[in-house]
Amino acid sequence: MQEAGKIIKIDRVIHEPVRLAIMSCLYEKKYVDFVFILEKLDLTRGNLASHIKRLEYAGYVDVIKTFKERIPHTTYALTTKGKKAYEKYWCFFDEIRQDIDLEG
Amino acid sequence: MQEAGKIIKIDRVIHEPVRLAIMSCLYEKKYVDFVFILEKLDLTRGNLASHIKRLEYAGYVDVIKTFKERIPHTTYALTTKGKKAYEKYWCFFDEIRQDIDLEG
DNA sequence: AAGAAATAGTTTGTAAAGCAAACTGGGTAT
DNA sequence: ATACCCAGTTTGCTTTACAAACTATTTCTT
């Protein structure tokens, strides 16, 4: 079974469902824009922006501002740190479950 | 990739790390007592009690009060509902990750 | 040049939740 | 009677998510 520390130290930045979804999108697609996530997750713009800001502060995502047909277009991508953190997050869950499976 | 609804509808009662740890203990060991969890997770008594109360209200755990050598001894166990909810919780995570793995 | 429209935010206010520490109750030992 | 456990409730603090309102920046229209 999991030790105390293992499960308690889960990365809270990623653990929040909305941010986990964002990280999943980015991990899969590499580059994802604001509106895509907005519609995919059905959030308000403000809510999405603040979650992304949090991921930015954690150093997990880069913001790429471009113009698409002369309209502002913001795109996001995982940093190396973000990629590692995301993979580590899943490792925790694997460990927890494996530990459970070991016994009856 | 996950749809909007899939990840957002994660069971918040279980999703909280401390409660996930408690549920894991119970799923593995069937019967676990208060002090065991307390030491395992290094929580305050009040904190543990309130998390367990929340699991109780959700119908996920049963409370079994006994006396052990004439000293009160509280033990917990998953209900059928709790067992199902716990299994369903992991299913969400499997689905999310499988969806990611499908693409490069 | 002025005003409308769109993107991508920031700010504000509210409600919920986690946590530690203090306090409580019910039973036991001295 | 008093002191002592176990388990749980209450209180107060802090953080957070979220929606709604507001803002800044650039483009389009007239």
Side-chain angles (χ1 to χ4, degrees):
Chain A
M1 185 183 27
Q2 76 290 345
E3 304 140 35
K6 199 185 283 180
I7 199 161
I8 304 301
K9 281 174 190 163
I10 278 173
D11 186 338
R12 288 273 189 173
V13 175
I14 299 179
H15 193 61
E16 174 61 29
V18 170
R19 290 192 295 267
L20 180 57
I22 295 169
M23 295 286 281
S24 296
C25 285
L26 293 174
Y27 192 84
E28 179 194 356
K29 293 191 179 294
K30 278 203 167 182
Y31 297 97
V32 175
D33 64 63
F34 189 85
V35 175
F36 178 86
I37 304 175
L38 198 65
E39 291 174 354
K40 196 86 181 169
L41 303 182
D42 192 33
L43 305 170
T44 59
R45 291 189 312 282
N47 193 11
L48 176 54
S50 68
H51 278 301
I52 288 173
K53 194 169 72 172
R54 180 110 189 239
L55 292 171
E56 232 188 308
Y57 281 159
Y60 290 172
V61 305
D62 277 336
V63 179
I64 303 145
K65 285 174 187 286
T66 59
F67 282 83
K68 193 178 183 180
E69 291 154 26
R70 301 191 179 176
I71 287 170
H73 186 83
T74 308
T75 301
Y76 307 96
L78 284 187
T79 61
T80 306
K81 186 178 175 187
K83 211 166 181 174
K84 280 183 189 165
Y86 183 77
E87 285 160 358
K88 191 174 177 186
Y89 176 81
W90 286 118
C91 283
F92 274 124
F93 278 84
D94 280 338
E95 283 174 32
I96 291 157
R97 200 157 24 163
Q98 276 170 21
D99 288 340
I100 291 163
D101 289 341
L102 288 179
E103 308 188 34
Chain B
M1 184 182 30
Q2 75 288 347
E3 303 141 36
K6 200 185 283 182
I7 199 161
I8 304 301
K9 282 175 190 163
I10 279 172
D11 186 337
R12 289 272 188 172
V13 175
I14 299 180
H15 193 60
E16 173 62 27
V18 170
R19 288 192 297 267
L20 180 57
I22 295 169
M23 294 286 280
S24 297
C25 285
L26 292 174
Y27 191 83
E28 178 195 354
K29 293 188 179 297
K30 281 204 163 181
Y31 297 96
V32 176
D33 63 65
F34 190 86
V35 175
F36 178 86
I37 303 174
L38 198 64
E39 290 173 355
K40 196 85 180 172
L41 303 181
D42 193 31
L43 306 171
T44 58
R45 292 189 311 280
N47 193 11
L48 176 54
S50 68
H51 279 300
I52 287 173
K53 193 169 72 172
R54 181 110 189 240
L55 292 171
E56 233 188 306
Y57 281 158
Y60 290 172
V61 306
D62 278 335
V63 180
I64 303 143
K65 285 174 186 287
T66 58
F67 282 83
K68 195 177 182 179
E69 290 154 25
R70 301 193 178 173
I71 289 171
H73 187 80
T74 308
T75 302
Y76 307 96
L78 285 188
T79 60
T80 306
K81 187 179 175 186
K83 211 167 180 173
K84 280 183 187 165
Y86 183 77
E87 285 160 359
K88 190 175 178 185
Y89 176 82
W90 286 117
C91 282
F92 274 123
F93 278 84
D94 279 339
E95 284 174 31
I96 291 157
R97 197 155 27 162
Q98 277 170 21
D99 289 339
I100 291 163
D101 289 341
L102 289 178
E103 310 187 32

